[in-house]
Amino acid sequence: MIKAVCLKGSFDPITNQHIELAKKFLKNKKFQIVFFRVDEKGIASYKDRVEMVKLAIKPYRKMKLLCDCKFNKDEIQIIPIEENDEKLVREGHFNKTCNSVNFYLNNHILYLDQIVDAWCIEKRAAHVRSMTKLAKELAVIHHVDEKKAEQAGMLHDLCKNMEEEAAKQIMKFFYPQYISLSPKIWHQFTAEYVLKHIMRLRDKKVINAVRHHVLGDHKGNLSRIIFIADKIDPGRGYNIDDQLAIAKRSLKEGAIDVKSNQQKFLKGEKV
Ligand SMILES: [Fe+2]
Ligand SMILES: [Fe+2]
């Protein structure tokens, strides 16, 4: 006799939809419990996916991992589940998961590649990866958290390719005091909006580094690294040896040096 149901899937990652589905099964009194079985294959590691399932089901005493099952096989109905919101979450819509999973995703900086590829055109994604590599090198030299440099670097141009009208709406409602700035600058604000409200990132250093990466008006070391690495990205194709040498010696001096060249791109060249 069937006593429990087992949702089987990659849970890459678990989403609110999975929990809602489990709740529906529990409403049916035929099932005493809903188990979750995580498939071996996925984009995130098996360990990460299991940890996230554990976090998501923790508030529900009738939801458990299959490895904790005490039923016989013939008492469990296995239901393969389709990808629903998983792809959306992998592309940065972390708000489609519960808070604890959200926190885990940001803390373990999962799915960065998928996020960049979903939000950036190919050329932009190449720049993002190239400057992130440089940002990580500078972070190591200056004893700044390398993982945060990676996260801020990969996310800094998230909204660079956003439609101007969509960006304008965000600026109008959330950053009205900056809407008169050039639309080329807006993407540092719209990216902050996405980080806070869609990815629900809470790390102030990473948020500041992204929010100030165009104007370079934040004095934190991580912010300076992202500002410098963005502007002297080796992928931009000009000689960066002198600027890089200054940045390796001092982030403060490096930022001042980069800033002194900034008027050029504010007047219409690439940011
Ligand atoms: Fe940018
Ligand atoms: Fe950039």
Side-chain angles (χ1 to χ4, degrees):
M1 185 192 160
I2 297 290
K3 292 180 179 171
V5 68
C6 173
L7 304 182
K8 174 193 171 308
S10 55
F11 297 104
D12 199 8
I14 188 162
T15 70
N16 291 337
Q17 280 191 344
H18 295 135
I19 297 296
E20 290 309 311
L21 183 64
K23 281 182 186 172
K24 267 187 196 166
F25 280 112
L26 287 173
K27 270 191 184 167
N28 179 345
K29 293 202 171 114
K30 187 172 137 192
F31 305 116
Q32 298 169 18
I33 208 151
V34 175
F35 291 105
F36 289 77
R37 193 180 112 182
V38 181
D39 291 342
E40 290 287 331
K41 277 190 180 175
I43 292 167
S45 73
Y46 176 75
K47 181 179 171 290
D48 280 330
R49 287 179 288 121
V50 169
E51 285 305 316
M52 287 189 280
V53 170
K54 277 187 197 170
L55 288 169
I57 65 177
K58 201 175 173 187
Y60 308 98
R61 65 186 173 85
K62 291 184 175 178
M63 296 184 200
K64 293 191 185 304
L65 278 173
L66 188 64
C67 53
D68 299 326
C69 176
K70 291 184 177 93
F71 291 106
N72 295 322
K73 269 186 183 172
D74 57 357
E75 291 174 319
I76 304 171
Q77 182 179 343
I78 293 183
I79 297 179
I81 51 156
E82 309 233 324
E83 263 222 13
N84 36 46
D85 276 346
E86 292 176 45
K87 187 169 183 285
L88 259 183
V89 176
R90 290 197 296 272
E91 291 176 353
H93 296 262
F94 292 176
N95 52 357
K96 296 197 175 294
T97 65
C98 64
N99 284 343
S100 53
V101 171
N102 218 276
F103 185 77
Y104 190 97
L105 286 164
N106 279 315
N107 220 19
H108 291 76
I109 55 168
L110 299 182
Y111 306 119
L112 275 184
D113 278 316
Q114 285 72 28
I115 294 169
V116 168
D117 290 336
W119 288 76
C120 301
I121 58 170
E122 206 174 323
K123 193 179 155 202
R124 181 71 37 199
H127 152 69
V128 161
R129 290 189 169 94
S130 158
M131 74 71 76
T132 298
K133 191 167 170 271
L134 179 57
K136 285 169 74 180
E137 283 171 31
L138 288 172
V140 171
I141 292 169
H142 293 287
H143 310 288
V144 170
D145 188 329
E146 201 184 340
K147 285 280 172 199
K148 288 189 183 190
E150 182 179 7
Q151 189 175 30
M154 290 289 272
L155 300 175
H156 84 283
D157 271 346
L158 212 58
C159 295
K160 182 74 178 168
N161 299 113
M162 185 180 267
E163 293 286 334
E164 192 168 315
E165 199 44 49
K168 198 174 188 177
Q169 291 306 312
I170 295 174
M171 292 301 294
K172 204 169 143 187
F173 288 106
F174 297 96
Y175 304 95
Q177 67 274 43
Y178 300 116
I179 201 164
S180 59
L181 294 175
S182 159
K184 287 180 178 177
I185 299 170
W186 289 357
H187 71 283
Q188 67 169 27
F189 301 107
T190 48
E192 182 195 37
Y193 172 83
V194 169
L195 294 191
K196 283 183 172 175
H197 299 282
I198 296 179
M199 291 186 68
R200 290 194 180 153
L201 183 69
R202 297 286 174 264
D203 191 306
K204 283 185 180 162
K205 287 182 181 174
V206 174
I207 289 172
N208 276 331
V210 171
R211 183 199 162 122
H212 297 275
H213 84 268
V214 182
L215 297 176
D217 52 352
H218 189 262
K219 291 186 172 72
N221 277 346
L222 183 63
S223 297
R224 282 175 169 152
I225 285 174
I226 298 305
F227 175 64
I228 295 167
D230 184 33
K231 306 303 173 296
I232 66 168
D233 164 23
R236 291 194 191 268
Y238 55 86
N239 191 310
I240 60 159
D241 293 351
D242 293 344
Q243 285 179 295
L244 184 57
I246 298 170
K248 282 182 175 177
R249 197 172 61 231
S250 159
L251 288 176
K252 188 179 174 183
E253 286 173 27
I256 291 169
D257 177 63
V258 166
K259 217 167 187 180
S260 71
N261 291 316
Q262 209 185 16
Q263 289 308 315
K264 292 175 191 169
F265 67 77
L266 284 180
K267 281 176 185 164
E269 292 177 22
K270 287 178 186 174
V271 179

mmCIF file of all heavy atoms in Angstrom, residues 124 127 156-157 160 187 213-214 230 271, ligand 1:
data_model
loop_
_atom_site.group_PDB
_atom_site.id
_atom_site.type_symbol
_atom_site.label_atom_id
_atom_site.label_comp_id
_atom_site.label_asym_id
_atom_site.label_seq_id
_atom_site.Cartn_x
_atom_site.Cartn_y
_atom_site.Cartn_z
ATOM 1 N N ARG A 124 29.985 40.979 -24.444
ATOM 2 C CA ARG A 124 29.985 41.484 -23.062
ATOM 3 C C ARG A 124 30.426 40.387 -22.100
ATOM 4 O O ARG A 124 31.195 40.626 -21.173
ATOM 5 C CB ARG A 124 28.559 41.976 -22.736
ATOM 6 C CG ARG A 124 28.359 42.550 -21.359
ATOM 7 C CD ARG A 124 28.992 43.878 -21.134
ATOM 8 N NE ARG A 124 28.945 44.755 -22.291
ATOM 9 C CZ ARG A 124 29.737 45.818 -22.453
ATOM 10 N NH1 ARG A 124 30.642 46.115 -21.553
ATOM 11 N NH2 ARG A 124 29.639 46.563 -23.529
ATOM 12 N N HIS A 127 34.129 40.067 -22.080
ATOM 13 C CA HIS A 127 34.739 41.152 -21.277
ATOM 14 C C HIS A 127 34.606 40.843 -19.778
ATOM 15 O O HIS A 127 35.554 40.999 -19.011
ATOM 16 C CB HIS A 127 34.075 42.488 -21.624
ATOM 17 C CG HIS A 127 34.088 43.494 -20.515
ATOM 18 N ND1 HIS A 127 35.254 44.097 -20.084
ATOM 19 C CD2 HIS A 127 33.085 43.988 -19.713
ATOM 20 C CE1 HIS A 127 34.971 44.931 -19.077
ATOM 21 N NE2 HIS A 127 33.665 44.869 -18.833
ATOM 22 N N HIS A 156 29.099 42.544 -12.548
ATOM 23 C CA HIS A 156 29.138 44.008 -12.632
ATOM 24 C C HIS A 156 28.406 44.576 -13.862
ATOM 25 O O HIS A 156 27.831 45.649 -13.795
ATOM 26 C CB HIS A 156 30.586 44.531 -12.581
ATOM 27 C CG HIS A 156 31.295 44.529 -13.896
ATOM 28 N ND1 HIS A 156 31.806 43.381 -14.457
ATOM 29 C CD2 HIS A 156 31.565 45.529 -14.782
ATOM 30 C CE1 HIS A 156 32.357 43.690 -15.612
ATOM 31 N NE2 HIS A 156 32.232 44.978 -15.841
ATOM 32 N N ASP A 157 28.406 43.857 -14.988
ATOM 33 C CA ASP A 157 27.749 44.384 -16.194
ATOM 34 C C ASP A 157 26.441 43.668 -16.528
ATOM 35 O O ASP A 157 26.011 43.644 -17.682
ATOM 36 C CB ASP A 157 28.701 44.279 -17.399
ATOM 37 C CG ASP A 157 29.567 45.520 -17.548
ATOM 38 O OD1 ASP A 157 29.266 46.540 -16.904
ATOM 39 O OD2 ASP A 157 30.552 45.464 -18.312
ATOM 40 N N LYS A 160 24.071 45.818 -18.502
ATOM 41 C CA LYS A 160 24.633 46.630 -19.583
ATOM 42 C C LYS A 160 23.813 46.501 -20.871
ATOM 43 O O LYS A 160 23.727 47.416 -21.676
ATOM 44 C CB LYS A 160 26.082 46.180 -19.818
ATOM 45 C CG LYS A 160 26.831 46.946 -20.864
ATOM 46 C CD LYS A 160 27.239 48.325 -20.415
ATOM 47 C CE LYS A 160 28.025 49.013 -21.510
ATOM 48 N NZ LYS A 160 28.207 50.419 -21.240
ATOM 49 N N HIS A 187 23.666 51.547 -15.889
ATOM 50 C CA HIS A 187 23.725 50.098 -15.629
ATOM 51 C C HIS A 187 24.387 49.745 -14.301
ATOM 52 O O HIS A 187 24.218 48.633 -13.804
ATOM 53 C CB HIS A 187 24.384 49.340 -16.796
ATOM 54 C CG HIS A 187 25.844 49.539 -16.946
ATOM 55 N ND1 HIS A 187 26.402 50.657 -17.485
ATOM 56 C CD2 HIS A 187 26.887 48.737 -16.624
ATOM 57 C CE1 HIS A 187 27.709 50.552 -17.506
ATOM 58 N NE2 HIS A 187 28.035 49.387 -16.975
ATOM 59 N N HIS A 213 30.905 50.810 -10.070
ATOM 60 C CA HIS A 213 31.979 50.390 -10.983
ATOM 61 C C HIS A 213 32.185 51.335 -12.173
ATOM 62 O O HIS A 213 33.255 51.358 -12.758
ATOM 63 C CB HIS A 213 31.756 48.948 -11.478
ATOM 64 C CG HIS A 213 30.840 48.796 -12.648
ATOM 65 N ND1 HIS A 213 29.490 48.578 -12.507
ATOM 66 C CD2 HIS A 213 31.064 48.834 -13.979
ATOM 67 C CE1 HIS A 213 28.941 48.490 -13.700
ATOM 68 N NE2 HIS A 213 29.877 48.631 -14.620
ATOM 69 N N VAL A 214 31.178 52.113 -12.531
ATOM 70 C CA VAL A 214 31.359 53.032 -13.670
ATOM 71 C C VAL A 214 32.037 54.317 -13.214
ATOM 72 O O VAL A 214 33.028 54.745 -13.812
ATOM 73 C CB VAL A 214 30.005 53.370 -14.349
ATOM 74 C CG1 VAL A 214 30.245 54.282 -15.552
ATOM 75 C CG2 VAL A 214 29.293 52.105 -14.791
ATOM 76 N N ASP A 230 37.825 46.583 -14.521
ATOM 77 C CA ASP A 230 36.856 46.851 -15.588
ATOM 78 C C ASP A 230 37.460 47.762 -16.660
ATOM 79 O O ASP A 230 37.312 47.516 -17.859
ATOM 80 C CB ASP A 230 35.619 47.512 -14.966
ATOM 81 C CG ASP A 230 34.506 47.734 -15.974
ATOM 82 O OD1 ASP A 230 34.376 46.910 -16.901
ATOM 83 O OD2 ASP A 230 33.764 48.724 -15.836
ATOM 84 N N VAL A 271 32.379 52.057 -21.930
ATOM 85 C CA VAL A 271 32.491 51.995 -20.480
ATOM 86 C C VAL A 271 32.855 50.582 -20.078
ATOM 87 O O VAL A 271 32.212 49.661 -20.512
ATOM 88 C CB VAL A 271 31.160 52.388 -19.813
ATOM 89 C CG1 VAL A 271 31.288 52.297 -18.312
ATOM 90 C CG2 VAL A 271 30.773 53.767 -20.224
HETATM 91 FE FE FE B 1 30.025 48.578 -16.834
#
